[in-house]
């Protein structure tokens, strides 16, 4: 085991009461970015915690909510670890679905319940607690560490791209580690090597100036719902293939290493489906569970609305119809390029249909055999007491491409939170033992990177 | 001019203020059959109006909303005229699209604006006002008259078939006249010799037990909106052809007489489209305006709803989706037969999708050369001061087949309402001069039938 690490781990174990109390202070501070509730107060608190852990901390303004940044240099020539996270949280509603109030952290059955417990305060605070244990125990860090905590992740991270591009020096590092998202497995930790990107669009069709009587106008007036149905039928086939021309141009085929990693992911597909009340997969049927998330982009209708939706019958030709679609993108697709192709497709098949872009995020990708994955694997094994497995790509989106594409760095996502953390939902929670395992993991990672760098 | 008619028409003209005030009382009484709002109160009001016009009036129960029936015998041997209409109305939503509240009748530019103004209160009340003028002026009616007013037309008239079959004696007549629907022309009245039938279904697809995160589950979980989109794509082609197997089996080709009548219908197709803000037709493009309504069935999506419909973006895979479809049927299609074929089609293409039948109505057909059309033509010329034209079939549905198929009677539909009555839509209205012309028409019809019968 690397130098100092046994002593630091022992300190982590001794500090549990204090770390938990500090986490609770952080959770008690609302920081709802979409509603601008408590965000700046929370930024100040986070700055104070970074400062208390021995880092040089500062609040950096953006056009939106501020970033909180901290750094501490290690010995000359040591690698630099950049830890990314976010201190803002989702709105807590519906409030009456919470067993205990969302901003009054409460422990039940070994879990702390609070908004932000898992997403993301409990996870990034594990980093801070580990760094504090290191500095208090060893008087120094064996590598350079930077911490960037965003205040707008739950708004879709609108300013991270610009911030990172404008602060290349400040953020210079050898690797990025993000503790976010729920783990897939109860006991074994995981490393995620990329996230899917996203393109979100709204498409709208219009018919007559107002709803028409379907008897008096049926056969005469174009129906905008039919227009969307026929257009959408050209976007995804019943067989589950996206049929937008050029859509797959930049899809990177799964490498043998990725297929290998997928095969080793511990998963019971039947149980996974059953957990949400499903008995079958989306088309095509003959794909592995994980390959559906890792290997291919998706075209999803998040909503489609037009015409009468009440009880019983109403015989109208609707005047308008709107669909919201999200496309999950895989490396090396680019949302700008995909949007241009989608737009051309719509122009060709339904020139009267309007398309509006509501959001975009690039997919990210780090090679499975990147050498800096090795120290992270060892750290996770130390922290969680079980061998980690590799997930080449995860389904959800994070602004991870700012590291892999904008800065060209390897970036690893390691979820410390339990699979049932209920992020974005009522009764969000974090298993406290996983919080402590996360602290030990970050502590070990610092040591392993130092050992690795020698 | 037949006896008494000049005096009755003069009375109709003198009564305008009173007739209008009574119509407004009727319009102020909501009678939303699909929501069971005010229907019975409205039935009582209609009964009182029939009674006040000198008819023996009664409310007759059905398994749903009641019928209101009135009758008054003419001289022995005189023909019997059955007038059909409906006192229920469509739901008024969206409420905020109304310039004045839907149940506060308001006059602007010679029109009364209210839900039910044209569909159908203003039209059947013209009958009642005419009969009242006859009885008050002549002390009698020169023919026997029966009035049947239904309370469930906007629900698809689910109990009219059974009611008519069970009340053949009560409803015995020589012809049926219905004032309903919008006229096609500003000045020339029209006679309609049949109506399209209707099949209304709701189809629903289910996915997971609840909405899912489209990142974590996209590619895995079936999306019920996609299921509906793909199924609907097999029901109607982008070229506008209904592709349900066997759907067209019983479609009666247009006769030479029907094509002749169609050619004589005064119509400016461009102006008709422009009146509702359209610049082009539904596919297929190469069909005559009237032929679209008369010559072929339709498949219409009256509503389709699934997933997120609010502002901005939400990245979910919806748990469910529902579409409402109406099929307009032409002679000699039968809705039971068409439903069986649709069900088989859905079973074949999307076995997991649920289909629910919400309504059905048979198409009707009366010969263009029926002898009782002649007195009706004369009455319309008197009432509207212009020559009527013949429409072999109209697009909207009425339970007209109960007369033509169940009772074997000739049935004529004569729309008194303006073409832009906006029935089933916000700001429904009736041109008051057409209301008065309708009163004169019914008054003249009674006289012409008596003259014809001598």
């Amino acid at each position: 085991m690397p130098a100092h690490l046994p002593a630091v781990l022992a300190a982590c174990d001794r500090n549990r009461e204090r770390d938990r109390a500090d986490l609770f202070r952080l959770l008690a501070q609302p920081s709802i970015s979409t509603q601008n509730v408590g965000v700046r107060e929370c930024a100040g608190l986070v700055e104070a915690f970074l400062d208390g852990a021995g880092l040089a901390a500062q609040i950096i303004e953006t056009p939106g909510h501020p970033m909180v940044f901290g750094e501490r240099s290690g010995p000359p020539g040591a690698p630099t670890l950049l830890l990314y996270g976010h201190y803002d949280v989702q709105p807590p509603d519906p409030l009456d679905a919470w067993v205990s109030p969302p901003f009054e952290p409460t422990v039940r059955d070994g879990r702390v319940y609070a908004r932000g417990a898992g997403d993301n305060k409990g996870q990034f605070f594990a980093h801070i607690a580990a760094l504090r244990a290191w500095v208090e125990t060893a008087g120094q860090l064996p590598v350079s560490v930077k911490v960037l905590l965003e205040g707008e992740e739950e708004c879709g991270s609108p300013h991270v791209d610009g911030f990172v591009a404008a602060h290349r020096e400040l953020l210079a590092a050898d690797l990025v580690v993000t503790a976010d998202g729920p783990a897939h497995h109860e006991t074994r930790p995981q490393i995620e090597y990329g996230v899917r990107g996203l393109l979100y669009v709204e498409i709208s069709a219009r018919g007559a100036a107002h709803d028409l009587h379907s008897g008096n106008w049926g056969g005469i007036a174009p129906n905008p719902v039919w227009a969307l149905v026929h257009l959408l039928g050209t976007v995804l086939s019943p067989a589950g293939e996206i049929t937008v021309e050029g859509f797959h141009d930049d899809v990177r085929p799964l490498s043998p290493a990725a297929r290998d990693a997928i095969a080793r992911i511990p998963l019971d597909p039947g149980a996974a489906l059953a957990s949400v009340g499903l008995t079958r997969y989306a088309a095509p049927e003959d794909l592995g569970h994980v390959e559906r998330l890792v290997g291919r982009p998706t075209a999803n209708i998040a909503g489609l609305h037009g015409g009468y939706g009440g009880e019983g019958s109403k015989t109208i030709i609707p005047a308008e119809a709107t669909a919201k679609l999200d496309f999950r993108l895989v490396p090396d697709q680019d949302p700008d390029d995909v949007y241009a192709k989608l737009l051309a497709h719509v122009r060709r098949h339904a020139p009267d249909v309007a398309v509006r872009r509501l959001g975009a995020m690039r997919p990210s990708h780090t090679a499975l055999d990147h050498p800096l994955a090795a120290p992270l694997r060892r750290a996770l094994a130390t922290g969680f007491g079980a061998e980690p497995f590799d997930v080449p790509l995860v389904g959800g989106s994070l602004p991870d491409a700012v590291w892999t594409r904008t800065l060209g760095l390897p970036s690893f996502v390691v979820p410390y939170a339990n699979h049932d953390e209920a992020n974005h939902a009522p009764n969000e929670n974090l298993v406290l033992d996983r919080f402590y395992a996360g602290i030990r993991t970050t502590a070990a990672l610092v040591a392993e990177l130092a050992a690795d760098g020698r």
Side-chain angles (χ1 to χ4, degrees), chain A:
Chain A
M1 197 169 268
H4 292 297
L5 183 53
V8 173
L9 292 176
C12 290
D13 293 344
R14 278 196 312 274
N15 290 344
R16 287 187 171 194
E17 290 276 313
R18 182 180 65 163
D19 289 344
R20 192 177 93 159
D22 285 340
L23 172 61
F24 280 28
R25 280 179 61 204
L26 187 56
L27 293 174
Q29 172 60 56
S31 53
I32 310 166
S33 51
T34 56
Q35 300 171 353
N36 197 17
V37 172
V39 179
R40 194 156 288 269
E41 293 83 347
C42 191
L45 184 60
V46 171
E47 183 190 25
F49 279 128
L50 285 171
D51 187 71
L55 280 76
Q58 56 179 313
I59 290 176
I60 309 180
E61 297 301 327
T62 73
H65 299 304
M67 303 280 176
V68 184
F69 181 77
E71 60 181 327
R72 183 178 178 119
S73 297
T80 299
L81 166 65
L82 173 58
L83 299 164
Y84 164 79
H86 65 92
Y87 65 88
D88 64 323
V89 300
Q90 281 273 318
D93 51 270
L95 282 176
D96 56 7
W98 287 77
V99 174
S100 50
F103 297 108
E104 296 177 19
T106 305
V107 175
R108 292 191 294 277
D109 294 332
R111 298 171 185 234
V112 52
Y113 286 84
R115 171 55 86 226
D119 185 15
N120 176 249
K121 289 174 173 172
Q123 301 207 55
F124 79 73
F125 190 74
H127 296 321
I128 296 177
L131 298 175
R132 180 163 69 179
W134 254 104
V135 173
E136 287 179 353
T137 305
Q140 57 163 351
L141 293 178
V143 295
S144 294
V145 174
K146 299 177 178 179
V147 180
L148 181 70
L149 300 169
E150 188 193 344
E152 297 183 305
E153 201 270 347
E154 303 297 0
C155 310
S157 299
H159 300 110
V160 149
D161 284 13
F163 182 86
V164 170
H167 294 82
R168 289 171 186 272
E169 274 307 307
L170 183 79
L171 300 170
D174 294 284
L175 77 162
V176 181
V177 170
T178 301
D180 200 2
H184 297 174
H185 196 268
E186 292 276 353
T187 53
R188 289 184 60 193
Q190 68 196 65
I191 303 176
E192 300 162 359
Y193 293 77
V195 300
R196 289 202 284 202
L198 175 75
L199 172 66
Y200 202 106
V201 299
E202 183 178 275
I203 64 175
S204 315
R206 280 214 59 96
H210 50 77
D211 292 350
L212 296 175
H213 188 294
S214 71
N216 301 334
W217 292 94
I220 294 177
N223 181 324
V225 187
W226 274 124
L228 289 193
V229 163
H230 287 136
L231 171 61
L232 291 170
T234 69
V235 168
L236 181 80
S237 77
E241 297 303 324
I242 298 170
T243 45
V244 174
E245 203 175 318
F247 190 91
H248 296 86
D249 284 354
D250 298 319
V251 171
R252 176 196 291 246
L254 283 182
S255 66
R259 293 195 175 278
D260 219 42
I262 289 172
R264 285 197 304 267
I265 293 174
L267 177 87
D268 178 342
L273 286 185
S275 72
V276 293
L278 290 173
T279 53
R280 61 182 183 80
Y281 286 109
E285 300 263 351
D286 60 342
L287 274 178
H289 189 99
V290 178
E291 192 180 340
R292 293 167 178 276
L293 294 169
V294 174
R296 55 208 311 268
T298 68
N300 178 55
I301 302 175
L304 173 52
H305 293 274
Y308 185 63
E311 272 305 297
S313 58
K314 191 174 179 189
T315 48
I316 54 166
I317 302 173
E320 57 192 331
T322 299
K324 291 173 191 277
L325 276 82
D326 68 78
F327 297 88
R328 299 284 169 170
L329 308 178
V330 299
D332 297 315
Q333 291 182 294
D334 180 88
D336 292 341
D337 175 67
V338 168
Y339 181 67
K341 284 164 174 165
L342 178 70
L343 214 54
H345 180 89
V346 172
R347 292 285 159 274
R348 201 157 52 241
H349 289 272
D352 293 340
V353 166
V355 184
R356 200 154 68 97
R357 175 171 159 161
L358 295 186
M361 202 168 276
R362 293 169 293 172
S364 68
H365 174 73
T366 293
L368 284 163
D369 60 357
H370 194 284
L372 285 173
L376 182 55
R377 279 194 198 98
R378 294 195 297 272
L380 281 162
T382 299
F384 281 82
E387 278 305 305
F389 57 92
D390 291 337
V391 179
L393 191 78
V394 289
S397 302
L398 279 171
D400 196 44
V402 296
W403 316 125
T404 62
R405 289 198 176 182
T406 306
L407 297 189
L409 298 178
S411 176
F412 307 95
V413 179
V414 287
Y416 291 168
N418 32 296
H419 74 279
D420 54 355
E421 61 167 327
N423 51 339
H424 295 211
N427 302 309
E428 180 176 348
N429 67 88
L430 178 64
V431 169
L432 281 167
D433 278 347
R434 295 191 65 99
F435 171 59
Y436 302 134
I439 295 170
R440 289 171 56 93
T441 299
T442 306
L445 175 60
V446 167
E448 295 290 353
L449 283 172
D452 206 60
R454 271 200 300 276

Short mmCIF file of all heavy atoms in Angstrom, two decimals, chain A residues 78-105:
data_model
loop_
_atom_site.label_atom_id
_atom_site.label_comp_id
_atom_site.label_asym_id
_atom_site.label_seq_id
_atom_site.Cartn_x
_atom_site.Cartn_y
_atom_site.Cartn_z
N ALA A 78 4.52 15.80 -9.78
CA ALA A 78 3.42 14.87 -9.47
C ALA A 78 2.26 15.13 -10.43
O ALA A 78 2.09 16.26 -10.89
CB ALA A 78 2.97 15.05 -8.03
N PRO A 79 1.48 14.11 -10.71
CA PRO A 79 0.32 14.32 -11.60
C PRO A 79 -0.74 15.20 -10.92
O PRO A 79 -0.74 15.36 -9.71
CB PRO A 79 -0.20 12.90 -11.84
CG PRO A 79 0.31 12.08 -10.71
CD PRO A 79 1.61 12.72 -10.27
N THR A 80 -1.61 15.73 -11.77
CA THR A 80 -2.71 16.58 -11.27
C THR A 80 -4.04 15.88 -11.50
O THR A 80 -4.37 15.48 -12.62
CB THR A 80 -2.70 17.95 -11.97
OG1 THR A 80 -1.45 18.60 -11.69
CG2 THR A 80 -3.85 18.82 -11.48
N LEU A 81 -4.77 15.77 -10.41
CA LEU A 81 -6.11 15.17 -10.44
C LEU A 81 -7.14 16.29 -10.36
O LEU A 81 -7.09 17.11 -9.46
CB LEU A 81 -6.27 14.24 -9.22
CG LEU A 81 -7.69 13.76 -8.88
CD1 LEU A 81 -8.26 12.88 -9.97
CD2 LEU A 81 -7.68 13.02 -7.53
N LEU A 82 -8.08 16.30 -11.34
CA LEU A 82 -9.18 17.27 -11.29
C LEU A 82 -10.46 16.53 -10.91
O LEU A 82 -10.84 15.55 -11.57
CB LEU A 82 -9.33 17.95 -12.65
CG LEU A 82 -10.54 18.89 -12.83
CD1 LEU A 82 -10.55 20.00 -11.79
CD2 LEU A 82 -10.54 19.49 -14.24
N LEU A 83 -11.06 16.97 -9.82
CA LEU A 83 -12.32 16.37 -9.37
C LEU A 83 -13.46 17.31 -9.73
O LEU A 83 -13.43 18.50 -9.38
CB LEU A 83 -12.29 16.15 -7.85
CG LEU A 83 -11.19 15.21 -7.37
CD1 LEU A 83 -10.97 15.35 -5.87
CD2 LEU A 83 -11.54 13.75 -7.72
N TYR A 84 -14.47 16.78 -10.47
CA TYR A 84 -15.61 17.60 -10.88
C TYR A 84 -16.86 17.13 -10.15
O TYR A 84 -17.03 15.93 -9.88
CB TYR A 84 -15.82 17.53 -12.39
CG TYR A 84 -17.18 18.04 -12.83
CD1 TYR A 84 -17.45 19.41 -12.93
CD2 TYR A 84 -18.20 17.15 -13.13
CE1 TYR A 84 -18.70 19.87 -13.30
CE2 TYR A 84 -19.46 17.60 -13.51
CZ TYR A 84 -19.71 18.97 -13.59
OH TYR A 84 -20.95 19.42 -13.95
N GLY A 85 -17.73 18.08 -9.81
CA GLY A 85 -19.02 17.74 -9.20
C GLY A 85 -19.93 18.94 -9.29
O GLY A 85 -19.59 19.94 -9.93
N HIS A 86 -21.08 18.86 -8.66
CA HIS A 86 -21.97 20.03 -8.69
C HIS A 86 -22.69 20.16 -7.36
O HIS A 86 -23.11 19.18 -6.76
CB HIS A 86 -22.96 19.96 -9.85
CG HIS A 86 -23.94 18.83 -9.79
ND1 HIS A 86 -25.17 18.95 -9.21
CD2 HIS A 86 -23.87 17.55 -10.23
CE1 HIS A 86 -25.83 17.82 -9.32
NE2 HIS A 86 -25.06 16.94 -9.92
N TYR A 87 -22.78 21.43 -6.91
CA TYR A 87 -23.38 21.69 -5.61
C TYR A 87 -24.85 22.09 -5.71
O TYR A 87 -25.50 22.30 -4.69
CB TYR A 87 -22.58 22.75 -4.84
CG TYR A 87 -22.58 24.13 -5.48
CD1 TYR A 87 -23.57 25.04 -5.17
CD2 TYR A 87 -21.60 24.50 -6.39
CE1 TYR A 87 -23.58 26.31 -5.75
CE2 TYR A 87 -21.61 25.75 -6.97
CZ TYR A 87 -22.60 26.66 -6.65
OH TYR A 87 -22.61 27.88 -7.23
N ASP A 88 -25.38 22.24 -6.93
CA ASP A 88 -26.81 22.56 -7.05
C ASP A 88 -27.62 21.28 -7.02
O ASP A 88 -27.10 20.18 -7.25
CB ASP A 88 -27.10 23.37 -8.32
CG ASP A 88 -26.81 22.60 -9.59
OD1 ASP A 88 -25.82 21.83 -9.62
OD2 ASP A 88 -27.57 22.74 -10.56
N VAL A 89 -28.91 21.42 -6.71
CA VAL A 89 -29.79 20.26 -6.60
C VAL A 89 -31.06 20.49 -7.41
O VAL A 89 -31.39 21.62 -7.79
CB VAL A 89 -30.17 19.96 -5.13
CG1 VAL A 89 -28.93 19.68 -4.30
CG2 VAL A 89 -30.98 21.11 -4.53
N GLN A 90 -31.77 19.40 -7.64
CA GLN A 90 -33.08 19.44 -8.30
C GLN A 90 -34.11 20.06 -7.35
O GLN A 90 -33.97 19.98 -6.13
CB GLN A 90 -33.54 18.01 -8.62
CG GLN A 90 -32.90 17.41 -9.83
CD GLN A 90 -33.66 17.75 -11.11
OE1 GLN A 90 -34.87 17.72 -11.13
NE2 GLN A 90 -32.92 18.07 -12.15
N PRO A 91 -35.18 20.63 -7.89
CA PRO A 91 -36.30 21.05 -7.02
C PRO A 91 -36.82 19.83 -6.25
O PRO A 91 -36.78 18.71 -6.77
CB PRO A 91 -37.36 21.56 -8.01
CG PRO A 91 -36.60 21.88 -9.26
CD PRO A 91 -35.45 20.92 -9.31
N PRO A 92 -37.29 20.05 -5.03
CA PRO A 92 -37.69 18.90 -4.22
C PRO A 92 -39.13 18.44 -4.44
O PRO A 92 -39.52 17.40 -3.93
CB PRO A 92 -37.52 19.41 -2.78
CG PRO A 92 -37.77 20.88 -2.89
CD PRO A 92 -37.30 21.30 -4.27
N ASP A 93 -39.92 19.19 -5.19
CA ASP A 93 -41.33 18.81 -5.29
C ASP A 93 -41.50 17.48 -6.01
O ASP A 93 -40.66 17.13 -6.83
CB ASP A 93 -42.15 19.91 -5.97
CG ASP A 93 -41.52 20.35 -7.28
OD1 ASP A 93 -40.70 21.28 -7.24
OD2 ASP A 93 -41.78 19.71 -8.32
N PRO A 94 -42.54 16.70 -5.73
CA PRO A 94 -43.67 17.01 -4.86
C PRO A 94 -43.31 16.84 -3.37
O PRO A 94 -42.93 15.74 -2.95
CB PRO A 94 -44.74 16.00 -5.27
CG PRO A 94 -43.96 14.82 -5.79
CD PRO A 94 -42.70 15.40 -6.39
N LEU A 95 -43.46 17.93 -2.63
CA LEU A 95 -43.01 17.94 -1.23
C LEU A 95 -43.73 16.90 -0.38
O LEU A 95 -43.13 16.30 0.52
CB LEU A 95 -43.24 19.34 -0.64
CG LEU A 95 -42.21 20.39 -1.05
CD1 LEU A 95 -42.58 21.74 -0.50
CD2 LEU A 95 -40.81 19.96 -0.57
N ASP A 96 -45.03 16.69 -0.65
CA ASP A 96 -45.78 15.80 0.26
C ASP A 96 -45.43 14.33 0.05
O ASP A 96 -45.93 13.48 0.78
CB ASP A 96 -47.29 16.05 0.15
CG ASP A 96 -47.79 15.91 -1.27
OD1 ASP A 96 -46.99 15.48 -2.13
OD2 ASP A 96 -48.96 16.23 -1.52
N ALA A 97 -44.59 14.04 -0.94
CA ALA A 97 -44.16 12.66 -1.13
C ALA A 97 -42.92 12.32 -0.29
O ALA A 97 -42.50 11.18 -0.22
CB ALA A 97 -43.87 12.40 -2.61
N TRP A 98 -42.33 13.34 0.37
CA TRP A 98 -41.15 13.10 1.20
C TRP A 98 -41.56 12.61 2.59
O TRP A 98 -42.47 13.19 3.21
CB TRP A 98 -40.34 14.39 1.35
CG TRP A 98 -39.58 14.80 0.12
CD1 TRP A 98 -40.08 15.39 -0.99
CD2 TRP A 98 -38.18 14.62 -0.10
NE1 TRP A 98 -39.08 15.61 -1.92
CE2 TRP A 98 -37.89 15.15 -1.39
CE3 TRP A 98 -37.12 14.09 0.65
CZ2 TRP A 98 -36.61 15.14 -1.94
CZ3 TRP A 98 -35.85 14.09 0.11
CH2 TRP A 98 -35.60 14.61 -1.18
N VAL A 99 -40.87 11.61 3.08
CA VAL A 99 -41.14 11.11 4.44
C VAL A 99 -40.60 12.11 5.47
O VAL A 99 -41.24 12.38 6.48
CB VAL A 99 -40.52 9.71 4.64
CG1 VAL A 99 -40.66 9.25 6.09
CG2 VAL A 99 -41.16 8.71 3.69
N SER A 100 -39.40 12.63 5.24
CA SER A 100 -38.87 13.70 6.08
C SER A 100 -38.54 14.88 5.15
O SER A 100 -38.29 14.67 3.96
CB SER A 100 -37.62 13.23 6.85
OG SER A 100 -36.70 12.62 5.97
N PRO A 101 -38.56 16.12 5.67
CA PRO A 101 -38.38 17.29 4.79
C PRO A 101 -37.06 17.23 4.01
O PRO A 101 -36.04 16.78 4.54
CB PRO A 101 -38.40 18.47 5.76
CG PRO A 101 -39.14 17.97 6.96
CD PRO A 101 -38.77 16.52 7.07
N PRO A 102 -37.09 17.68 2.75
CA PRO A 102 -35.94 17.49 1.87
C PRO A 102 -34.67 18.21 2.32
O PRO A 102 -33.57 17.77 1.95
CB PRO A 102 -36.44 18.04 0.53
CG PRO A 102 -37.65 18.87 0.83
CD PRO A 102 -38.24 18.28 2.06
N PHE A 103 -34.82 19.28 3.10
CA PHE A 103 -33.62 20.00 3.54
C PHE A 103 -33.38 19.84 5.04
O PHE A 103 -32.73 20.68 5.66
CB PHE A 103 -33.66 21.46 3.07
CG PHE A 103 -33.67 21.57 1.57
CD1 PHE A 103 -34.81 21.95 0.88
CD2 PHE A 103 -32.54 21.23 0.83
CE1 PHE A 103 -34.83 22.02 -0.51
CE2 PHE A 103 -32.54 21.29 -0.56
CZ PHE A 103 -33.70 21.67 -1.24
N GLU A 104 -33.93 18.77 5.60
CA GLU A 104 -33.62 18.37 6.98
C GLU A 104 -33.08 16.96 6.94
O GLU A 104 -33.84 15.99 7.07
CB GLU A 104 -34.88 18.44 7.86
CG GLU A 104 -35.42 19.85 8.01
CD GLU A 104 -36.71 19.88 8.82
OE1 GLU A 104 -37.00 18.91 9.56
OE2 GLU A 104 -37.45 20.88 8.70
N PRO A 105 -31.76 16.81 6.73
CA PRO A 105 -31.19 15.47 6.56
C PRO A 105 -31.55 14.56 7.74
O PRO A 105 -31.40 14.95 8.90
CB PRO A 105 -29.69 15.71 6.47
CG PRO A 105 -29.46 17.17 6.70
CD PRO A 105 -30.77 17.87 6.61
#
